[in-house]
Amino acid sequence: MAELAALEDPKAREVNERRGDDHGVNLTELRALAKRLKTQQELACRLWKTGDTAARLLAILICRPKAFERVELDAMLREARTPKVHDWLVSYVVKKSPHAEDLRVAWSADPDPVVASAGWALTTERVAKRPEGLDLAGLLDLIESQMKDAPDRLQWAMNHCLAQIGIEHAEYRGRAVGIGERLEVLRDYPTSPGCTSPFAPVWIAEMVGRQRG
């Protein structure tokens, strides 16, 4: 904890807080610290219990994802209220867990929109890598009926799933683009030069073009 405190940078904290993340540690330096510590499950659990955002990010990097029980991962996600901790927990831990599919199904139907967004993130992973058994048409139905009025984090996750379906599955591409055009979610999102717009029709066209190119 003392070492993490020494890495604190007020300017980094200011930037992070604009995104809802209450820490000021440079992530490159955090990863270097994790590389030095290597995998330490017990230390990871102790760091997580501090509740400190930087400590929890470090915990995610040094933990053993398959060591967590389903109930532990569910509790950790519900405690992970800052966007970076939430995203890293899903990406670096839950996706590698044997409980990932069970949690995907449960979280997708959760009334808490932040928890539901984790379920959609896991669904997007399956759309891209293991679509067998997924009801893609049903997912598009849900996105079409719910995405427009969904809270920000959930809306972002559903939009990513919409784009992924359009990118990866040519038979649903026209419908995915049509849904994006009708709902206009993230149409006007500010995009830096050289970056792809998160507006699904543009995103789909860009990624499909790269695949063909």
Side-chain angles (χ1 to χ4, degrees):
M1 293 303 292
E3 196 161 346
L4 285 172
L7 294 175
E8 177 78 17
D9 178 351
K11 289 182 179 175
R13 177 174 285 273
E14 187 181 334
V15 171
N16 289 331
E17 284 184 343
R18 285 192 218 123
R19 304 181 187 129
D21 290 309
D22 57 351
H23 76 92
V25 177
N26 178 289
L27 296 181
T28 302
E29 294 180 354
L30 189 77
R31 290 180 188 279
L33 176 56
K35 191 173 181 182
R36 199 178 81 229
L37 290 170
K38 300 181 176 156
T39 302
Q40 296 192 47
Q41 180 68 9
E42 185 186 345
L43 176 58
C45 292
R46 286 164 59 199
L47 286 168
W48 183 271
K49 286 175 183 172
T50 67
D52 178 80
T53 293
R56 285 185 163 180
L57 292 172
L58 180 60
I60 289 166
L61 293 175
I62 67 170
C63 76
R64 189 176 294 109
K66 293 179 181 176
F68 293 107
E69 298 294 334
R70 181 197 184 284
V71 67
E72 291 178 293
L73 291 173
D74 184 67
M76 289 166 75
L77 185 87
R78 293 173 194 279
E79 293 170 4
R81 305 316 283 181
T82 63
K84 185 65 73 178
V85 172
H86 174 102
D87 291 346
W88 278 25
L89 182 66
V90 173
S91 296
Y92 299 157
V93 182
V94 180
K95 284 180 182 178
K96 298 175 183 177
S97 163
H99 308 292
E101 179 60 16
D102 186 23
L103 289 169
R104 180 189 76 80
V105 174
W107 287 344
S108 295
D110 199 276
D112 182 331
V114 177
V115 174
S117 74
W120 278 93
L122 293 171
T123 298
T124 301
E125 172 91 349
R126 274 204 59 191
V127 166
K129 296 183 177 177
R130 293 182 298 107
E132 301 79 16
L134 282 180
D135 178 6
L136 297 179
L139 289 173
L140 289 174
D141 289 342
L142 284 173
I143 291 167
E144 190 165 25
S145 64
Q146 298 176 13
M147 183 171 74
K148 181 79 171 176
D149 299 317
D152 287 352
R153 297 273 293 281
L154 178 55
Q155 185 184 70
W156 190 273
M158 294 177 90
N159 183 71
H160 190 179
C161 191
L162 173 66
Q164 203 70 54
I165 292 172
I167 292 162
E168 301 289 344
H169 301 279
E171 66 273 30
Y172 292 103
R173 189 167 297 146
R175 187 178 172 205
V177 170
I179 290 170
E181 288 174 343
R182 281 194 300 281
L183 299 185
E184 299 189 326
V185 168
L186 301 174
R187 177 187 280 277
D188 299 320
Y189 191 84
T191 306
S192 303
C195 295
T196 302
S197 168
F199 178 50
V202 174
W203 191 353
I204 292 167
E206 173 70 22
M207 299 309 293
V208 171
R210 286 186 199 176
Q211 290 170 358
R212 289 174 178 164

